[in-house]
Amino acid sequence: SEASEQLAAFVEANPTKGNALLGQTRVDQFTEARERLSTGGELDETASRALAASLLPQVEQADEIIRSNGAENLDARVALLFRAVEDQLDPEARSRRSTALIEWALEAQPENAELLLVQADSLERVGQSAAAIEALERVVSLESPTMGLRGLQQFSWQQQAVQQQTRLAITRWGSAPDDEKPALLVEAKAYRDKLATIVAEDSPALQLADARIMVAEDRLDEAERELNDYNAKTDRSDPDALGIQGRIAVRRNKLGVARDIFERIMELPGTNISAMLQLAEVYERLNDLPRAEAMYLRAQEFVPSNELVQRNLRRIQLLSGEATSDDPIEAALFDAARLARGSAVEPAAP
């Protein structure tokens, strides 16, 4: 396309700009996919993987360009772009290249709060919550400039870091063995109290931290009130807070409310795989199997090899009668399930 050609020319004219090559890689992926579909071609999982593999050398080249410019020159925006492109083309790598790139840059920029926040986010994305909390603590412990825009930015980043520490402590609490939960809840409350020393008492940030702790303590009525107020203040624009509210609605079997909340998350910018899966589950429980299937298919576009998505998609297709099982026992179980749901249909031809 013309846009792709113009970007390629810009990259050729600016060989030291790794972000330009990363941008071209994203455009190339979109352009190639669109051209295949417009000419009657298919873009199934195999074709998608082949396309991604053909573009990975450009990611490796961008890595080399960025490193050639020196660790002291990598900023957070380029690091985020690199991670986004890598994750799109090679999700199984679990951000391996971008994690290494950020660690390399932080050796030269140990007090770069923005890069530390990106590092913490990357660690969380691969399940290393404790390490993410440590990275955030490095942000909190940085000496803040006392004046000027830089001081305001540093204060904002440190506030964000403490908020994230509270959230991550609650995340660790949720997946911890029962005997470890009390200590982790105490840790979460300590981060919440630290946040209270740097924000106003009626701050939405503190309100959300309180709501997280209330959920952990099973104080769902109070948590709902806090979240309703918080989401009203933020114009229902925070997918994290909406997700908590949606999960409370599911726990209380308020499936219509949960559906509306997760559909709102889907309207917000960004790709939220977790919200897709939760919305698909709600659709299924509401017996809206076509929408449940559509949501799992949408999630599959982003995580084509995810076993949970594949398993749930197959279950929905068996429940709806769009697919059949070769296992007679499984087939009988799904026939019974369809009857129980009042959605018995003629099964699809094998």
Side-chain angles (χ1 to χ4, degrees), residues 231-254:
N231 286 323
K233 288 178 180 177
T234 57
D235 195 27
R236 302 181 78 215
S237 62
D238 184 341
D240 191 23
L242 288 168
I244 300 171
Q245 191 177 29
R247 289 189 290 276
I248 292 175
V250 170
R251 285 178 62 180
R252 299 190 142 186
N253 207 35
K254 299 177 180 179

Side-chain angles (χ1 to χ4, degrees), residues 56-262:
L56 270 177
Q58 292 181 203
V59 175
E60 303 287 358
Q61 185 182 352
D63 192 326
E64 293 176 5
I65 292 172
I66 291 169
R67 289 179 185 272
S68 71
N69 289 329
E72 67 280 5
N73 293 314
L74 177 63
D75 66 32
R77 290 169 297 178
V78 174
L80 283 169
L81 175 60
F82 188 100
R83 188 182 72 183
V85 175
E86 179 191 13
D87 289 351
Q88 185 70 31
L89 296 179
D90 192 12
E92 286 80 9
R94 292 167 63 83
S95 308
R96 171 179 54 81
R97 300 171 189 83
S98 55
T99 298
L101 194 64
I102 293 166
E103 289 176 352
W104 166 76
L106 283 171
E107 290 179 6
Q109 306 179 63
E111 296 187 354
N112 187 319
E114 284 186 287
L115 267 181
L116 285 167
L117 289 170
V118 175
Q119 182 188 46
D121 183 58
S122 296
L123 289 166
E124 179 191 357
R125 287 156 65 99
V126 296
Q128 298 183 41
S129 296
I133 289 175
E134 291 179 9
L136 292 166
E137 189 60 34
R138 289 175 62 185
V139 178
V140 176
S141 63
L142 292 175
E143 184 175 346
S144 298
T146 56
M147 297 180 65
L149 179 60
R150 187 68 182 177
L152 291 173
Q153 288 178 327
Q154 189 91 317
F155 177 78
S156 175
W157 291 327
Q158 290 175 322
Q159 176 182 323
Q160 182 181 341
V162 180
Q163 287 179 251
Q164 298 292 69
Q165 285 179 314
T166 308
R167 180 179 59 78
L168 285 168
I170 291 295
T171 299
R172 293 183 66 205
W173 170 89
S175 59
D178 288 345
D179 61 335
E180 296 178 15
K181 285 183 180 292
L184 287 171
L185 189 56
V186 169
E187 180 182 326
K189 290 181 176 180
Y191 288 128
R192 179 267 176 210
D193 290 344
K194 185 191 297 186
L195 181 63
T197 66
I198 57 176
V199 299
E201 186 178 350
D202 60 349
S203 163
L206 191 60
Q207 199 169 20
L208 182 56
D210 285 336
R212 295 185 196 281
I213 291 170
M214 290 168 185
V215 173
E217 294 178 330
D218 211 30
R219 295 154 54 196
L220 299 187
D221 286 336
E222 295 172 78
E224 275 194 312
R225 285 195 293 271
E226 290 288 351
L227 288 166
N228 283 333
D229 190 39
Y230 174 90
N231 286 323
K233 288 178 180 177
T234 57
D235 195 27
R236 302 181 78 215
S237 62
D238 184 341
D240 191 23
L242 288 168
I244 300 171
Q245 191 177 29
R247 289 189 290 276
I248 292 175
V250 170
R251 285 178 62 180
R252 299 190 142 186
N253 207 35
K254 299 177 180 179
L255 298 181
V257 173
R259 177 196 59 210
D260 293 345
I261 291 171
F262 289 123

